[in-house]
Amino acid sequence: MEKKMMILGASALQTPAIKKAKELGYQVIAVDYDKDAVGFALADVKLVVSTMDLEEVYRQALHYRPEVVLTSASDGPVRTAAYVNEKLGKRPDLSYADSFCATVKSDMRRRLEENGVPIPKYYAVEDFAGFCEAVERLGGYCIVKPADNAGSRGVTLLDKRRSVMQRMDEEGRQEGRKEGQGFCADKDGADGLFGTGNAVAGQGGERAGGLEAGLDEKELEEVYAYSRSHSRNGIVMVEEFMTGPEVSVEALTVEGETSIVTVTDKRITPPPYFVELAHCEPSMLEEGILERIRQVALQAVRAIRLQNGPSHTEIKVTPKGPKVVELAARLGGDFITSKLVPLSTGVDLVGASVELAAGQKTDIRPKWQRGAAIHFIPAKEGVIRRIFVPEEAYGLEGVEEVVFYKKAGERAAGIKSSNDRVGHIITSADTPKKAMETGEKVLRLIQVEWE
């Protein structure tokens, strides 16, 4: 009888896992709420079911009896996979109880705090009164985000003192004078992208900068409503605003032992929204900082008790050291794992995670070290009139692909989440700096006209 694997999610980010499962000889049962999900074309069985519907996915699993139930690059289905595997009597690689610590930010923060993992000051609130109190405790300068969602949805910066950009500019100049470098300049001096620069606001429960909040209730209500509307469980997180370069750590855990494959630098939009616009690997931070990042990531993975499977840990390198932004018991999205990791290391981390789930041996030893980067094309507010890419852009050395998600005639509302991106450019080179430079050249050549 043919072996069966149920994969939760059939988007473009999940298709590499579907392809690998087919290579391993599995009949693939793909589950996605979107009937037009691209991964369905590769699957043997197409189930138009929400991956968040635990009981329906379990009912389908009882019917099809897969040997393996997994997800690849989505947060929510991590809980569903853990639930279904436990109900089917399979040994969970992450228990259902622990899966909440990898998907719900309030549970995650609590577990990391209990295990001494460095994190920002935070409050998990369930109503507007609690929200106002948390904002006041953080001095009116804080990150507000839904406890149960991903992709930067519902995330914003609340600053009741003065403009965010003014503050960042001032702090950048101050730190530049202290360190003898400009704001956010990395060790290679690459265009102010991934380096250090600012001081942490509100660390350890101190009022941010010691300034009064001067809160406006109507604006607070709008911020709270915006974030809560994106929270599946209704809980809103209010957190200390951390500054400094941000990275993600891509790793695989086998029988409780975690191996780090690479560290990825990240570029994010300015406040008030925090949408990822570029990734680059390997990280260009200096080795001493990278070692501290790796140790914090390993500590975080141990805290959520992951036994087998991939992890993607986002970390801010604050002036007081690396602190965990978020931790996911899945592969990194945004094509980090499926595209950048193979280009920069030669490691098929997607394939390794599928092999591991199938009970096979894996090999994630890097075969080489090169640079790889992805740049996302941000949307503006309006209707796309025209998208044009000159032949010169495709002809540049190191351009791996240029892909568009939107087309002429589509409307966009600016960039507030990862859904608000027009497309992406993937590049590779001998070094990460060169890969970034090539991506930026292509980005400048692409013409997106807006009505």
Side-chain angles (χ1 to χ4, degrees):
M1 182 181 291
E2 190 175 16
K3 300 178 293 183
K4 299 175 184 177
M5 182 178 293
M6 179 178 278
I7 297 181
L8 307 184
S11 69
L13 293 176
Q14 309 279 1
T15 53
I18 296 174
K19 290 178 180 178
K20 184 63 180 182
K22 297 289 290 181
E23 288 176 15
L24 294 176
Y26 280 87
Q27 180 187 38
V28 174
I29 304 154
V31 183
D32 201 297
Y33 78 97
D34 180 6
K35 64 181 178 59
D36 298 317
V38 295
F40 278 146
L42 305 171
D44 298 286
V45 178
K46 165 184 169 180
L47 296 179
V48 183
V49 173
S50 170
T51 57
M52 303 297 292
D53 189 339
L54 277 68
E55 295 302 334
E56 180 58 22
V57 174
Y58 173 53
R59 190 179 74 81
Q60 295 291 344
L62 284 175
H63 175 73
Y64 287 99
R65 289 290 173 181
E67 281 79 12
V68 184
V69 179
L70 59 82
T71 189
S72 181
S74 298
D75 280 322
V78 168
R79 293 202 299 271
T80 307
Y83 176 81
V84 173
N85 281 325
E86 281 194 4
K87 293 280 281 187
L88 292 176
K90 301 179 185 297
R91 182 177 68 87
D93 294 324
L94 180 69
S95 74
Y96 179 57
D98 289 332
S99 71
F100 284 84
C101 300
T103 55
V104 179
K105 295 173 180 63
S106 50
D107 294 68
M108 182 189 305
R109 287 279 183 247
R110 187 161 48 249
R111 175 66 67 81
L112 296 180
E113 186 175 38
E114 289 170 353
N115 286 269
V117 180
I119 58 172
K121 181 70 176 177
Y122 76 96
Y123 299 92
V125 301
E126 299 183 12
D127 54 38
F128 182 63
F131 173 73
C132 291
E133 182 179 351
V135 171
E136 182 69 24
R137 285 177 177 271
L138 290 174
Y141 188 58
C142 48
I143 296 293
V144 181
K145 58 187 176 182
D148 192 6
N149 212 320
S152 300
R153 299 174 186 87
V155 182
T156 188
L157 173 68
L158 179 64
D159 183 5
K160 293 305 301 175
R161 304 167 306 160
R162 56 189 171 199
S163 83
V164 176
M165 294 310 296
Q166 176 187 353
R167 174 183 169 82
M168 292 180 71
D169 183 58
E170 290 175 0
E171 291 181 335
R173 286 198 299 270
Q174 290 168 3
E175 289 298 319
R177 285 192 292 270
K178 291 178 185 176
E179 303 295 334
Q181 63 183 35
F183 174 55
C184 284
D186 62 48
K187 69 173 184 178
D188 293 317
D191 79 347
L193 183 55
F194 296 121
T196 58
N198 305 1
V200 172
Q203 172 70 25
E206 299 170 0
R207 294 179 61 82
L211 298 178
E212 293 300 323
L215 304 176
D216 176 80
E217 187 168 342
K218 182 180 179 182
E219 184 174 350
L220 278 176
E221 287 175 350
E222 291 175 353
V223 172
Y224 176 71
Y226 170 68
S227 189
R228 193 179 190 281
S229 69
H230 290 274
S231 182
R232 300 185 185 102
N233 63 6
I235 297 175
V236 170
M237 303 297 292
V238 184
E239 299 184 349
E240 163 199 346
F241 178 55
M242 298 185 291
T243 57
E246 183 167 332
V247 301
S248 63
V249 180
E250 325 309 332
L252 189 71
T253 301
V254 180
E255 299 299 331
E257 292 295 323
T258 301
S259 298
I260 293 173
V261 177
T262 192
V263 179
T264 308
D265 286 326
K266 307 172 87 67
R267 173 188 280 175
I268 300 169
T269 60
Y273 306 107
F274 300 86
V275 183
E276 294 174 351
L277 285 185
H279 307 295
C280 176
E281 58 186 47
S283 172
M284 291 185 277
L285 294 173
E286 60 186 46
E287 181 56 35
I289 295 174
L290 287 172
E291 183 55 31
R292 294 169 66 191
I293 288 169
R294 295 185 193 105
Q295 292 307 312
V296 169
L298 292 173
Q299 190 181 357
V301 173
R302 286 194 296 269
I304 67 165
R305 301 171 190 153
L306 179 64
Q307 294 303 304
N308 289 287
S311 60
H312 172 76
T313 308
E314 296 177 344
I315 291 175
K316 273 275 192 184
V317 185
T318 77
K320 294 189 177 181
K323 294 185 180 183
V324 175
V325 178
E326 290 178 13
L327 166 65
R330 58 161 173 80
L331 296 168
D334 275 359
F335 303 99
I336 290 173
T337 309
S338 59
K339 301 283 188 177
L340 301 192
V341 171
L343 286 171
S344 67
T345 68
V347 174
D348 178 9
L349 194 49
V350 176
S353 67
V354 175
E355 290 171 344
L356 180 61
Q360 299 185 13
K361 289 186 177 181
T362 63
D363 183 4
I364 57 170
R365 290 173 295 181
K367 297 176 176 60
W368 57 72
Q369 181 165 303
R370 288 175 49 81
I374 182 169
H375 284 79
F376 292 96
I377 305 163
K380 295 182 180 179
E381 189 168 356
V383 176
I384 299 174
R385 177 184 295 151
R386 175 175 174 265
I387 298 175
F388 174 69
V389 186
E391 286 299 319
E392 179 188 355
Y394 293 110
L396 289 173
E397 183 180 358
V399 175
E400 300 289 338
E401 65 179 36
V402 179
V403 176
F404 291 94
Y405 321 140
K406 300 182 185 296
K407 59 183 182 296
E410 289 192 44
R411 178 175 292 278
I415 185 157
K416 296 181 179 178
S417 77
S418 57
N419 290 334
D420 302 322
R421 300 182 295 198
V422 177
H424 73 250
I425 304 145
I426 294 178
T427 53
S428 66
D430 293 339
T431 67
K433 183 180 179 182
K434 288 180 181 178
M436 284 297 295
E437 290 172 347
T438 303
E440 286 159 3
K441 286 180 184 177
V442 177
L443 199 59
R444 287 192 294 269
L445 290 169
I446 290 174
Q447 301 170 30
V448 181
E449 298 176 5
W450 297 84
E451 292 183 3

